[in-house]
Amino acid sequence: MYLDGHDTRCNYNSIKEILNFKRLDMFSYKLKKPRIRTQFLLDITKIILKISKSKPCKDNTDIVMFKEMNFNGIIDETDCLQMDGAYKFGINKILETHKNLKSINFTCPIRKEVNCNFVECELSYNKEFGGKKSEIETWFTDFGACFEKFGLNKAVYGNNFEIINLEYKLCCFLYNN
């Protein structure tokens, strides 16, 4: 399985008027613009298993949203969840709340230590892991092409995050079928 967050461009004015957010509340440090973030959990065939609630980017980093996701009934002790290095620091919190899981259920790229070179197997692992990360990013691009509303060059118009999230879920259902 794969877990990754996606920052969605949104019409700031419509959300500001309804929810009274300030521009900085939605600031994505990754994209340097106001965005809303949603976490996607996909299986190896790219079927969407779960999406998180959509939230403003500033206070809802990938790790914060990862900790809030409920994986009960989705991930069991035989599954392996691949995620980028940012999530590594939230694994212990998930293990506290999901007693059937262990650290071997999660995999992240190997971080390079200062003044220490990678050995060949670490380079190979990270190269293959990077290929999986590219698959997820390609999935987001394909999803945006299929549903133009969530494409890279479109802003989502909505008057609250719950409706935007419901639209995401509907598109995910349709995309799976």
Side-chain angles (χ1 to χ4, degrees):
M1 288 187 248
Y2 310 101
L3 179 72
D4 202 8
H6 184 65
D7 295 353
T8 306
R9 191 172 150 196
C10 56
N11 179 346
Y12 167 73
N13 292 331
S14 68
I15 292 174
K16 177 187 171 201
E17 292 165 10
I18 303 300
L19 299 177
N20 205 16
F21 274 101
K22 297 176 185 162
R23 186 173 178 84
L24 289 178
D25 290 338
M26 299 179 59
F27 187 75
S28 167
Y29 293 98
K30 198 181 331 181
L31 300 173
K32 309 293 186 223
K33 295 180 182 177
R35 298 282 194 263
I36 55 175
R37 180 167 292 133
T38 309
Q39 298 292 312
F40 288 81
L41 178 65
L42 294 85
D43 71 4
I44 59 170
T45 62
K46 309 301 183 291
I47 298 292
I48 303 135
L49 301 175
K50 184 174 179 83
I51 67 168
S52 70
K53 292 181 178 179
S54 300
K55 296 184 176 183
C57 283
K58 180 185 173 207
D59 294 327
N60 296 288
T61 62
D62 286 337
I63 189 96
V64 168
M65 295 185 77
F66 172 57
K67 289 177 184 177
E68 292 176 0
M69 284 185 80
N70 180 0
F71 296 109
N72 288 331
I74 298 173
I75 301 175
D76 65 29
E77 61 272 359
T78 61
D79 289 324
C80 182
L81 180 60
Q82 294 184 334
M83 49 201 164
D84 63 39
Y87 294 94
K88 187 173 188 165
F89 304 106
I91 292 173
N92 288 336
K93 181 68 173 173
I94 296 300
L95 294 176
E96 290 172 11
T97 58
H98 296 78
K99 299 299 181 189
N100 64 325
L101 300 178
K102 299 186 177 5
S103 60
I104 61 171
N105 292 104
F106 303 92
T107 182
C108 300
I110 300 170
R111 295 179 77 102
K112 185 179 180 308
E113 294 182 25
V114 178
N115 299 325
C116 185
N117 293 328
F118 279 135
V119 294
E120 187 60 36
C121 63
E122 292 172 326
L123 286 171
S124 176
Y125 174 83
N126 276 357
K127 183 177 180 179
E128 184 155 333
F129 198 92
K132 296 293 183 192
K133 178 70 175 156
S134 295
E135 286 180 28
I136 297 297
E137 297 305 326
T138 300
W139 182 89
F140 283 123
T141 302
D142 293 345
F143 183 81
C146 186
F147 300 102
E148 190 175 319
K149 176 182 184 104
F150 296 110
L152 296 174
N153 298 323
K154 292 284 184 178
V156 174
Y157 289 87
N159 49 9
N160 68 39
F161 294 133
E162 287 80 22
I163 291 174
I164 293 169
N165 197 247
L166 184 61
E167 291 170 337
Y168 250 133
K169 288 179 181 181
L170 177 61
C171 290
C172 288
F173 174 77
L174 294 170
Y175 196 75
N176 281 348
N177 292 312

